Amino acid sequence: MRPSRCRLSLTALLLTAVPAAAQRAPTAAGGAFLLLPVGARATALGQATAADGGTSEALFWNPAGLAALARSEFAIHHTTQFFGATDAIVIAVPSSSFGTFALAAYVVDYGDDQVTLPGGSDPVGTVTSRNVELLAGYATDVVGGLAAGIAYKLIQFRVDCSGDCANVPTATGTTHAVDVGLRYVFPAFPLVIGAAVRNVGFKLQVNNQAQADPLPARLQVGVSYGLRRPPTGVEGLDVRVLADLQGTVGQGTLSPVTLVGVEWGVRDVVRIRGGYAFLDSEARGPSIGIGVTFGSVAFDIAKVFFANDDLGEKEPIHLSLRAMF
């Protein structure tokens, strides 16, 4: 069999998702994908998402933000990475009486690796490596401007083989986790604060191996402040600034990292975004993006520029399509 691209892909994923070697906390290769950003809007804002809300993307960041959803939303998110591609579909339905419910499926595809027999050149099988995450979330307004949310996650890492796989090892690991969050909107001025704990759950154990690795649990707190247009400015123009602190939970003593973002535009018609993720990893760097809304359809695009370009030739491009109904 040729050298497995799966192993190379997982190594690349760890470089983007976990801290650099000098400060690395223990993280399962199969669970590191949980730190990859989902959604072009959140990615363009430098992942400063603790106080954000109002779209179905909140399910992946701070589930309390789902309570700010004004209409039902169906969203598709796609990302091209140097190691493969990620795709997510989300549906969120708000109710004035019962809160907001959301469901999502998220897949990270590392691509296929062909299997050849020793001395042969024709493929006899295919190895496929993927991460799969199924989510169910709920959020509701508690009192005043305070909202709370929770998301349950079924997480799986799997390596499958089709064809002649007699000498090809396969693997499957399944675990469970939850995210919980709070979000408070101040009534007197445009300030929002939020906090979320993500990926808190059981260790991921692949097959029946003795070693089980913890999930990359994170605590993130942040603020969002909106600046209205000056009296003589462009009608409808506004600016929003976001800043978060993110730290590990139960995985050593890593220093918190800072995530910042800014967004400006004319209402929801056109939104221009930028941010910087000061991560303790090779994936730190700036991000930019733009969002446009046509009636009940919104399209967002974002690109991340790694501060260290040794990760690969392709820097991530995130695409999101949201339909409100």
Side-chain angles (χ1 to χ4, degrees):
M1 183 177 70
R2 296 183 304 177
S4 173
R5 192 176 67 176
C6 299
R7 295 194 297 270
L8 299 178
S9 299
L10 290 175
T11 301
L13 176 59
L14 286 172
L15 287 174
T16 63
V18 301
Q23 298 181 338
R24 182 171 297 148
T27 304
F33 81 104
L34 296 170
L35 297 181
L36 294 172
V38 179
R41 168 174 159 155
T43 302
L45 292 172
Q47 304 178 46
T49 55
D52 200 15
T55 75
S56 59
E57 282 189 25
L59 179 63
F60 297 95
W61 300 96
N62 182 352
L66 292 170
L69 220 62
R71 293 186 290 172
S72 298
E73 183 174 294
F74 174 78
I76 301 174
H77 307 288
H78 174 76
T79 306
T80 55
Q81 303 271 8
F82 62 87
F83 57 80
T86 70
D87 292 280
I89 57 172
V90 192
I91 184 167
V93 180
S95 168
S96 58
S97 302
F98 302 104
T100 301
F101 297 87
L103 295 173
Y106 175 45
V107 178
V108 180
D109 189 347
Y110 304 102
D112 297 333
D113 187 45
Q114 293 181 341
V115 180
T116 57
L117 297 176
S121 59
D122 295 330
V124 296
T126 302
V127 176
T128 302
S129 179
R130 292 188 178 94
N131 279 114
V132 179
E133 181 184 28
L134 303 178
L135 302 92
Y138 173 74
T140 186
D141 293 319
V142 179
V143 61
L146 179 65
I150 186 170
Y152 160 77
K153 301 178 176 182
L154 174 66
I155 300 162
Q156 188 170 82
F157 166 67
R158 57 187 307 119
V159 177
D160 299 307
C161 182
S162 60
D164 186 353
C165 303
N167 298 315
V168 179
T170 59
T172 303
T174 303
T175 189
H176 310 268
V178 296
D179 297 354
V180 294
L182 296 172
R183 186 172 180 265
Y184 182 73
V185 180
F186 285 81
F189 47 99
L191 177 66
V192 182
I193 60 175
V197 180
R198 304 201 308 269
N199 309 324
V200 177
F202 301 104
K203 294 181 178 181
L204 180 64
Q205 185 175 22
V206 178
N207 291 341
N208 294 314
Q209 296 179 7
Q211 180 181 357
D213 296 298
L215 299 178
R218 294 293 185 268
L219 169 65
Q220 193 161 325
V221 297
V223 298
S224 170
Y225 187 77
L227 304 174
R228 302 299 180 185
R229 67 176 181 84
T232 58
V234 178
E235 181 67 29
L237 180 67
D238 67 272
V239 179
R240 191 166 62 110
V241 180
L242 304 95
D244 285 14
L245 287 177
Q246 182 191 95
T248 59
V249 177
Q251 297 181 21
T253 57
L254 297 182
S255 299
V257 297
T258 304
L259 309 166
V260 295
V262 62
E263 177 184 57
W264 64 98
V266 179
R267 293 184 289 276
D268 288 331
V269 179
V270 178
R271 310 297 296 177
I272 300 173
R273 307 179 180 105
Y276 199 102
F278 293 89
L279 298 171
D280 286 331
S281 76
E282 302 298 327
R284 64 186 179 274
S287 54
I288 60 172
I290 187 171
V292 293
T293 301
F294 303 95
S296 298
V297 178
F299 176 75
D300 301 291
I301 184 171
K303 183 174 176 64
V304 178
F305 301 89
F306 292 142
N308 186 335
D309 60 3
D310 294 333
L311 292 175
E313 296 181 357
K314 293 198 303 183
E315 292 170 320
I317 297 176
H318 296 253
L319 304 172
S320 295
L321 180 64
R322 297 180 289 118
M324 287 75 72
F325 55 95

